[in-house]
Structures are given as structure tokens and as C-alpha cells.
């Protein structure tokens, strides 16, 4: 991929600051971030541990609020939304994938995937249909009624990706999604994310591994809460060895 | 998220830890069960007292010698009767006491009664036929003595169930001869069973003979004086209070006692006594209910405690639900409904247990089982309310969590 696609940005961040206050020490985890991401991009955010990657992704995901700065998602100013409106944004516009999967224990895969649809007010039959379709998309149709304990780490992360996809979000965010997986399973997950990107999804991924970032079409590097590098690259195709 | 969905999610969440859910609900189960059985006991006691008073006859006045303050009407050996037979006749005279429908004297003595092959210590009553009307006491066999038997001083006796059983077992004593204090009497009738009096005495332990015969053969009185009690039946509750006023005026006039002075006789209104006694049992009922309500409260605190633990344990789950779109009110409702399902479910089980307990208790006391739908509804309603009240704080705490902080909680 070459230059980012034209048109209005899906994500537009200006002067974003996030200060953590512990005791009487202020820690600027984000120190003035400016960033634009367009629809259809596959962005990897890199940087050393503690550089502020997760903090940025959390803010992009509407899970936390910035100390200052603005964040427009699909043209809407997210920084000033009420708790209820922000919940609706997380529900409809954003799919979030976590390093530690965060699946509900003792709950089947399909029920885990249904969760966002419950809060979207989708009726039970329709919910089940869409959740099963999302599981098929991640190649887990055969495991719909397995609980997390009955699934491997890679399978669990694919369930989590299905959950992130199920409500048709505009933006897919993943914070070190391969951090808990071995290299082969990591490759499977990256192949899945690349496939989703090819199908038109906007993907923003946090990782500290170059191998993983290589699959993205744009790499942003952070240091001490600032963006220090932002480059477009030719993505390496994730091919799972037979 | 609609309510049905919320209830489904709550039930599933509780189902993941059934033992804990059960133990938490146990507090409410015990609370509701005790409210229902305690109130049933109270109501049973009340019904028991009502029945005991009913066994004495309804709309009844009791007139005795002696003032109420001196306690003279208790009839101790030293106290002399003040009511005369002429007073009795005046009370029975419809032109003087129009409100009195039936008037009967009751003389009493204890004594031994003998049949061919048994004897029994009982209470012997001397009275007139009106007595049976006033007490609403019918024979199960034979015929009661009449006016002519009293006038003729005949030696006939009417036996209570207890006496009949003790002397004759299962055979019908009517027509047999019994001896009371050695004097032979013919058994005219056996009365139906009445059970216990309000004071716990066996009403059926009685041998009843004409008052004239009683005076002549059992215990002579002091000629003009009535050494006993006068019963007045008035037919209706209003009649009772009218009769009370009329008799009071009549006796004060006959004994030359002014209004406001202390009377040398006592009139007792049994309807009033029954009401006072019912008041007592009503107090007992509310006391028992209050104790039971406290246990329901303790059950509620148990729910709050577990819900707080549950919110802490499930912080990550709450964070995740918020991350995928749960609004604060969705989270609030989820935990609130969990608490309500716990307490309401506990309430439902408690009702079953309470009804069973009340049934066992009433069976062992020999009382009628009285479970009012009102009490059942109230305790179930209260248990649901307990869920709301004690579930609200934990649920509110859960809903206030910050998604990312909650997700990162270990
Ligand atoms: N909740 C928090 N409270 C206080 N400090 C935090 C919190 N979260 C992150 N930090 C700090 O902010 C900085 C950036 O953290 P983070 O965004 O998690 O980094 P990364 O994901 O790049 O490793 C780190 O120094 C971290 O210690
Ligand atoms: Mg991180």
C-alpha cells in the first residue's frame, strides 16, 4: 500500500494528553499525540514497554478519557460524550481485542460472541445467527458451544475477534493480540486480521514485535508518550505454514 | 437490554455458583418462613381464644354477688352473697329488663358422681332450662330437663361428655341411675362436647341438675340469697350492653345503691372480655411478626454482603461488558435483578417452608391452621423489596466502575 486513502479521517486525534496521577506524582503516559487514520488502513503501533501504546489504544477505543486534547471518531467528538453515549460508541463503532482475550468463563463461544449484540438490543434468534456467522468468519464454526476452558489460546483469541466483529464496527482495535500466543498461532491470528483488512476493515494493532508489525501497511512508533515515527510500508503476507 | 434478557443473564450468573446462591437466599428463606409461621401461630392462638369464648356462649352477661373491686365475686368462703332470688326473678321479668332474653342461675359444687361400677369427681351445677339456651348447648341423646322439673325439684341429671365417658364408657347413659353425693338421679340427657374454656378448663366435665334439686339435695343456700352466678343471654351484641345498663339500674334500685356509689354486685360482659383477650393475642401476633421481620432484614444484609463480594469478584466481567457496550444502567440493572432474583426466589421457597411449618405447628398445638393470603403476599413482596434495597448499593457500585480500570483488575 502507498499513501493513505483520501477523504475524511475515521480517526482524528489532536494534542491528546493522558496524565496518570499516582500519589502526588504526575505521569504523562500520552504527551501530545496528533494522529489521523483513514477508513481501510491497517496500522501497527510499536514502541518499547511503557511508551504509551496501550494508553493510546484505550483512548481510541473509548475505554478511557483523555486529560486534554480532542478525538474525533467518524466525525463525532468522542472526548465530550456522556457515559451512556460512549457505551453506545463502543458497542456500535468499535471492536476491541485484548491481549488476555477477556472471554466470560463457563460461557460458550457463541454466547461470548453474542455479548455486544445483547447490549445493541438485537433479539435472541437474530443474535444467534449473527454470532454463528462471526464464528464462521474466524474459522470456528465447529467450536460454537465450547467454553473458553475447552479452547486453545489461539482459538480463544479468534472467539474474541469474532466478538469484536459481530456488531459490524467501523474500527477494529487490538492490544498485543498475539502477546499470549506462540509464534504459529500468532501467525494464524495475523492472517485473520489481514484477511479482515482485505475485506475492508480498519485495523489498529499494538505490538512490540517487529515480526507482527510487518503485517501492517502503516507503522507508528511511540516513545515516552509521543509519536516518533509514522511510516507506510509494504505489508508482509502472513502465511501459516502447513 | 430489555428486562427479560436482564433476568435471564441474572439467573445464569447465579447458576454459576449455586451453593453460594442458595446459602445467600437461605437468610431470606428463613425470614419469610418465620414470618408466615409466626403469624399463623398468632392467628391460630387468636382463633383458639375466640373459640373458647364462643364455647361459653355469645352475647352473655354474668351477674355475681360482691363488688368488682373487692374481688368478692370470686366467692371466697368469707364473702356473703348479696343477690337474692327475688333479684333473679326481677331480672328475668321482661317488663323490668326487656333486653334480657334468657336468664338462668348457676349454682356450683364439686362432688362425686357414681354409676354402677365407676365413680368420678366432677363439678355439679344447679340451674334452669334457660341455661342450655344461653350456652347454646344441645343434647346428643335424651332430653334436657324442663321448667316443671325445676318446679317439682325432680332428681334428673344432664351429663357432660367427660362425665358420661368416665361413668359409662361408650354405652348410652340415658335412663340409667347415678348417685350424686349418695342421692340417686336419673340421667335425662348427655350433652354435646364443648372442649376447653377460655381458662383452659374442661367444660364437658359437668353434671347439671335443676337448681331446686341442687339446693334441696346437694348444697343448701342461705334461704333468700343466691349462692351462685346469674347468666343473662341478650340475643345480640347491642342487646348485651342494653341489658347491662338495665340490670345495673334495676339492681342499684333494689339494693338502694346510688349511681356512682360502689355496687354490691358485679356485671361482666363476656363479649368485652373476649375482645380484650383478642387484643392480647393480636399484640402477640405483631410481636412474633416483628421478630420474624428482623430475621428477614438479616437475610437482606446477607444478600448485600454477597452482592458486594460478587461485584468485586466480577470486576473484570463488568469491565468487559462495559467495553462491548453495556451502559452504567445495564450493569446496575443486572446486579439489582440478581439481588432481586435471590431474594424473591428465597421468598418463594420461604413461603413453601413457612406454610409447611405452620401446618406442622398448628397440628402439634391442635389449632386450626390460619395462613392469610395477605401475609403471604406481604412477605413475598417484602423479600423482593429487601432485594431492591440491599441490592441497590452493590449494583450502584458496579455501575460506577470505569471500564478500563475494571478490565485491568487482577
Ligand atoms: N492506570 C495507570 N495508572 C498509572 N500509571 C499508568 C496506568 N496505566 C499506565 N500507566 C503508565 O503509563 C505509561 C504508559 O503505559 P502503557 O500505555 O500501558 O504503555 P505500553 O502499553 O506502551 O507498554 C507507563 O509508564 C505506565 O506505567
Ligand atoms: Mg501495553
Amino acid at each position: 500500500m502507498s499513501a493513505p486513502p483520501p477523504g475524511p479521517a475515521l480517526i482524528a486525534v489532536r494534542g491528546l494528553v493522558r496524565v496518570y496521577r499516582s500519589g502526588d506524582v504526575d505521569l504523562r503516559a500520552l504527551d501530545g499525540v496528533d494522529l489521523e487514520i483513514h477508513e481501510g488502513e491497517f496500522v501497527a503501533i510499536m514502541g518499547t514497554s511503557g511508551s504509551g501504546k496501550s494508553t493510546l489504544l484505550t483512548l481510541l477505543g473509548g475505554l478511557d478519557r483523555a486529560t486534554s486534547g480532542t478525538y474525533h471518531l467518524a466525525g463525532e467528538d468522542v472526548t465530550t460524550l456522556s457515559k451512556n453515549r460512549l457505551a453506545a460508541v463502543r458497542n456500535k463503532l468499535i471492536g476491541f481485542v485484548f491481549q488476555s482475550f477477556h472471554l466470560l468463563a463457563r460461557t460458550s463461544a457463541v454466547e461470548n460472541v453474542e455479548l455486544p449484540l445483547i447490549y445493541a438490543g438485537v433479539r435472541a434468534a437474530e443474535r444467534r445467527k449473527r454470532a454463528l456467522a462471526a464464528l464462521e468468519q474466524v474459522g470456528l464454526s465447529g467450536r460454537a458451544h465450547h467454553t473458553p476452558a475447552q479452547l486453545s489460546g489461539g482459538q480463544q483469541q479468534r472467539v474474541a475477534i469474532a466478538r469484536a466483529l459481530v456488531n459490524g464496527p467501523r474500527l477494529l482495535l487490538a492490544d498485543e493480540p498475539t502477546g499470549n500466543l506462540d509464534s504459529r498461532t500468532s501467525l494464524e491470528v495475523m492472517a485473520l486480521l489481514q484477511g479482515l483488512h482485505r475485506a475492508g476493515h480498519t485495523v489498529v494493532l499494538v505490538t512490540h514485535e517487529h515480526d507482527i508489525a510487518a503485517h501492517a501497511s502503516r507503522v507508528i512508533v511511540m516513545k515516552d508518550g509521543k509519536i516518533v515515527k509514522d511510516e507506510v510500508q509494504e505489508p508482509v503476507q502472513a502465511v501459516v505454514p502447513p | 437490554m430489555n428486562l427479560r434478557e436482564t433476568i435471564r443473564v441474572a439467573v445464569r450468573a447465579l447458576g454459576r455458583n449455586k451453593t453460594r446462591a442458595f446459602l445467600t437466599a437461605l437468610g431470606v428463606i428463613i425470614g419469610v418462613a418465620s414470618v408466615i409461621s409466626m403469624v399463623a401461630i398468632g392467628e391460630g392462638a387468636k382463633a383458639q381464644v375466640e373459640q373458647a369464648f364462643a364455647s361459653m356462649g355469645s352475647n352473655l352477661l354474668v351477674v355475681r354477688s360482691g363488688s368488682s373491686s373487692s374481688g368478692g365475686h370470686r366467692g371466697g368462703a368469707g364473702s356473703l352473697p348479696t343477690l337474692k332470688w327475688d333479684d333473679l326473678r326481677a331480672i328475668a321479668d321482661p317488663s323490668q329488663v326487656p333486653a334480657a332474653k334468657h336468664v338462668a342461675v348457676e349454682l356450683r359444687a364439686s362432688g362425686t358422681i357414681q354409676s354402677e361400677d365407676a365413680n368420678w369427681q366432677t363439678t355439679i351445677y344447679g340451674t334452669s332450662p334457660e341455661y342450655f339456651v344461653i350456652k347454646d348447648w344441645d343434647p346428643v341423646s335424651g332430653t334436657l330437663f324442663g321448667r316443671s322439673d325445676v318446679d317439682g325439684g325432680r332428681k334428673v341429671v344432664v351429663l357432660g361428655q367427660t362425665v358420661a365417658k368416665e361413668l359409662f364408657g361408650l354405652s348410652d347413659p340415658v335412663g340409667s341411675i347415678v348417685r350424686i353425693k349418695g342421692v340417686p338421679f336419673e340421667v335425662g340427657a348427655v350433652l354435646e362436647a364443648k372442649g376447653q374454656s377460655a381458662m383452659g378448663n374442661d367444660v364437658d366435665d359437668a353434671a347439671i341438675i335443676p337448681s331446686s334439686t341442687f339446693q334441696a339435695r346437694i348444697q343448701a343456700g342461705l334461704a333468700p340469697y343466691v349462692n351462685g352466678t346469674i347468666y343473662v343471654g341478650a340475643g345480640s351484641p347491642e342487646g348485651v350492653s342494653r341489658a347491662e345498663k338495665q340490670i345495673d339500674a334495676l339492681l342499684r334500685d333494689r339494693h338502694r345503691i346510688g349511681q356512682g356509689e360502689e355496687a354490691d354486685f358485679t356485671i361482666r360482659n363476656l363479649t368485652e372480655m373476649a375482645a380484650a383477650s383478642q387484643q392480647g393475642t393480636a399484640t402477640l401476633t405483631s410481636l412474633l411478626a416483628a421478630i420474624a421481620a428482623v430475621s428477614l432484614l438479616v437475610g437482606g444484609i446477607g444478600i448485600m454482603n454477597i452482592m458486594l463480594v460478587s461485584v468485586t469478584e466480577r470486576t473484570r466481567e463488568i469491565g468487559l461488558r462495559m467495553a462491548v457496550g453495556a451502559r452504567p444502567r445495564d450493569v446496575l440493572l443486572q446486579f439489582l435483578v440478581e439481588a432481586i432474583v435471590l431474594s424473591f426466589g428465597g421468598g418463594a421457597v420461604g413461603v413453601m417452608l413457612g406454610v409447611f411449618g405452620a401446618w406442622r405447628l398448628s397440628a402439634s398445638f391442635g389449632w386450626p391452621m390460619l395462613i392469610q393470603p395477605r401475609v403471604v403476599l406481604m412477605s413475598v413482596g417484602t423479600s423482593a423489596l429487601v432485594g431492591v434495597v440491599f441490592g441497590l448499593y452493590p449494583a450502584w457500585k458496579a455501575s460506577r466502575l470505569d471500564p478500563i480500570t475494571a478490565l485491568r483488575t487482577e
Side-chain angles (χ1 to χ4, degrees), chain A residues 48-55 99 175-176 206 208, chain B residues 408:
Chain A
T48 53
S49 180
S51 56
K53 309 181 293 291
S54 294
T55 304
Q99 180 176 352
D175 190 353
E176 311 221 21
V206 161
H208 60 266
Chain B
R408 289 198 178 141

Side-chain angles (χ1 to χ4, degrees), chain A residues 25-232:
Chain A
V25 185
D26 279 354
L27 192 139
R28 291 177 86 84
L30 281 189
D31 193 7
V33 169
D34 298 315
L35 179 63
E36 275 194 9
I37 295 175
H38 286 80
E39 198 106 39
E41 281 195 89
F42 187 171
V43 182
I45 302 174
M46 292 201 63
T48 53
S49 180
S51 56
K53 309 181 293 291
S54 294
T55 304
L56 176 60
L57 205 70
T58 302
L59 286 173
L60 294 182
L63 292 171
D64 193 12
R65 287 178 191 272
T67 309
S68 65
T70 60
Y71 169 29
H72 286 80
L73 177 63
E76 190 169 18
D77 186 357
V78 174
T79 28
T80 56
L81 287 182
S82 71
K83 276 190 175 184
N84 285 338
R85 296 284 307 279
L86 199 58
V89 165
R90 290 195 297 265
N91 184 244
K92 296 198 169 58
L93 297 182
I94 299 166
F96 212 109
V97 179
F98 306 90
Q99 180 176 352
S100 52
F101 322 139
H102 281 311
L103 297 178
L104 295 189
R106 281 172 287 182
T107 306
S108 69
V110 66
E111 284 177 302
N112 266 290
V113 175
E114 278 183 28
L115 211 54
L117 300 179
I118 289 181
Y119 296 108
V122 179
R123 306 187 63 126
E126 170 74 7
R127 219 157 61 203
R128 186 51 56 107
K129 213 176 82 192
R130 280 166 66 177
L132 288 171
L135 278 173
E136 192 171 352
Q137 218 180 337
V138 300
L140 278 180
S141 335
R143 301 281 193 281
H145 299 285
H146 288 50
T147 62
Q150 298 167 323
L151 296 171
S152 72
Q155 287 170 334
Q156 289 185 50
Q157 193 59 298
R158 271 144 72 190
V159 172
I161 293 171
R163 181 181 63 197
L165 287 175
V166 75
N167 206 14
R170 304 268 303 263
L171 178 62
L172 203 58
L173 302 174
D175 190 353
E176 311 221 21
T178 60
N180 284 5
L181 303 176
D182 60 41
S183 54
R184 188 196 156 86
T185 331
S186 299
L187 217 51
E188 278 174 19
V189 166
M190 289 315 295
L192 178 60
L193 290 178
Q194 268 190 335
L196 292 171
H197 171 233
R198 265 196 303 279
H201 283 95
T202 309
V203 182
V204 180
L205 165 97
V206 161
T207 181
H208 60 266
E209 293 177 64
H210 287 281
D211 295 1
I212 296 296
H215 301 299
S217 52
R218 178 179 168 195
V219 177
I220 290 167
V221 180
M222 294 190 67
K223 190 167 184 287
D224 298 333
K226 290 191 171 75
I227 292 177
V228 293
K229 204 165 124 191
D230 186 348
E231 291 184 328
V232 171

Side-chain angles (χ1 to χ4, degrees), chain A residues 83-84 87 90 104 115 118-119, chain B residues 1-3 5-7 9-10 13 307 310-312 314-340 391-403 406:
Chain A
K83 276 190 175 184
N84 285 338
R90 290 195 297 265
L104 295 189
L115 211 54
I118 289 181
Y119 296 108
Chain B
M1 191 147 107
N2 64 28
L3 194 64
E5 203 63 54
T6 312
I7 292 172
V9 169
M307 290 313 294
S310 178
V311 167
T312 308
R314 284 155 66 195
T315 301
R316 263 155 50 112
E317 176 195 326
I318 296 164
L320 177 82
R321 286 178 183 277
M322 287 178 155
V324 300
R327 290 165 297 174
R329 52 162 285 212
D330 292 324
V331 174
L332 180 100
L333 215 60
Q334 182 188 335
F335 281 89
L336 195 57
V337 167
E338 263 183 48
I340 294 170
L392 203 56
Y393 174 65
W396 176 81
K397 255 187 91 167
S399 75
R400 295 264 307 187
L401 284 169
D402 180 47

